Amino acid sequence: KAGVTQTPRYLIKTRGQQVTLSCSPISGHRSVSWYQQTPGQGLQFLFEYFSETQRNKGNFPGRFSGRQFSNSRSEMNVSTLELGDSALYLCASSLDVISGNTIYFGEGSWLTVV
Amino acid sequence: SQQGEEDPQALSIQEGENATMNCSYKTSINNLQWYRQNSGRGLVHLILIRSNEREKHSGRLRVTLDTSKKSSSLLITASRAADTASYFCATDSLSNYKLTFGKGTLLTVNP
């Protein structure tokens, strides 16, 4: 069974640009979450979607947004990029993030903002 | 904000030795999961322990959970060089739909 797939794996953007990252969850998983990982802040929760509904959002500015499609695939978007947005962005999927289900992560998308 | 705090922050051992990492958290939890991350890669799920469980085993891994002390430990027995990685604990609680991670323990296993 295929794991969580994230694209692109690496990208470089310029300050002020916007970026869209994509995540395909494990087949049958309806919950998709996004996390940002930086050396200074560690792993920080961005948002979680279940059946196209955002159920929780982390403490990030409105420049960070996401959505989930009817096939459970998800995208996150960061507009007006800042240098501090450089990070590893990780997508996670599960049957449901509560109820004791294992949460699986993808390999991540490395974003560098210059 | 970080829920979990792993201890120690870094651990260096020789192949064949056991490695123990600890995790403490602040609020009541539903489940606690341990993950491994090799440098620059994604998180690999190791083991999940529910709040009503006290101990779980998986291969060379043993996880304990003490909800009264709000702490968990991960023991890796007979470590190998391939176990070199960062290890994170992550907690979830009912109805907040997210994992809260600690800052991780960097384990180095020397051949």
Side-chain angles (χ1 to χ4, degrees), chain B residues 84-105:
Chain B
T84 294
S86 291
Y87 291 80
F88 296 90
C89 69
T91 59
D92 69 78
S93 53
L94 289 170
S95 74
N96 72 0
Y97 309 114
K98 69 176 185 179
L99 291 175
T100 305
F101 286 86
K103 290 194 177 293
T105 293

Side-chain angles (χ1 to χ4, degrees), chain B residues 19-40:
Chain B
T20 300
M21 288 159 270
N22 302 297
C23 166
S24 60
Y25 55 91
K26 298 172 185 172
T27 60
S28 296
I29 64 169
N30 193 32
N31 307 285
L32 186 146
Q33 307 194 46
W34 283 91
Y35 290 87
R36 183 186 76 232
Q37 184 178 40
N38 291 89
S39 181

Side-chain angles (χ1 to χ4, degrees), chain A residues 7-12 108-112, chain B residues 40-41:
Chain A
T7 57
R9 287 292 321 280
Y10 305 92
L11 64 166
I12 301 174
S109 292
W110 277 102
L111 171 65
T112 301
Chain B
R41 307 294 298 274

Side-chain angles (χ1 to χ4, degrees), chain A residues 38-81:
Chain A
T38 60
Q41 297 299 316
L43 283 149
Q44 300 284 323
F45 169 76
L46 282 158
F47 20 67
E48 190 265 356
Y49 291 89
F50 184 86
S51 294
E52 301 180 70
T53 299
Q54 184 183 90
R55 296 192 296 188
N56 197 2
K57 187 177 192 301
N59 188 25
F60 279 82
R63 300 184 297 106
F64 291 80
S65 64
R67 59 178 175 169
Q68 186 181 32
F69 302 96
S70 58
N71 61 359
S72 292
R73 192 177 68 84
S74 176
E75 289 181 347
M76 66 163 283
N77 183 278
V78 188
S79 62
T80 319
L81 284 164

Side-chain angles (χ1 to χ4, degrees), chain B residues 34-103:
Chain B
W34 283 91
Y35 290 87
R36 183 186 76 232
Q37 184 178 40
N38 291 89
S39 181
R41 307 294 298 274
L43 298 172
V44 174
H45 184 265
L46 296 176
I47 201 162
L48 178 152
I49 187 165
R50 293 177 169 75
S51 58
N52 62 354
E53 297 176 314
R54 292 296 165 257
E55 187 171 314
K56 280 190 88 168
H57 297 254
S58 176
R60 294 184 296 114
L61 306 180
R62 172 179 170 255
V63 168
T64 62
L65 178 64
D66 187 335
T67 53
S68 67
K69 295 181 179 178
K70 291 187 169 58
S71 67
S72 174
S73 67
L74 170 67
L75 167 67
I76 304 174
T77 60
S79 62
R80 306 166 182 167
D83 295 329
T84 294
S86 291
Y87 291 80
F88 296 90
C89 69
T91 59
D92 69 78
S93 53
L94 289 170
S95 74
N96 72 0
Y97 309 114
K98 69 176 185 179
L99 291 175
T100 305
F101 286 86
K103 290 194 177 293

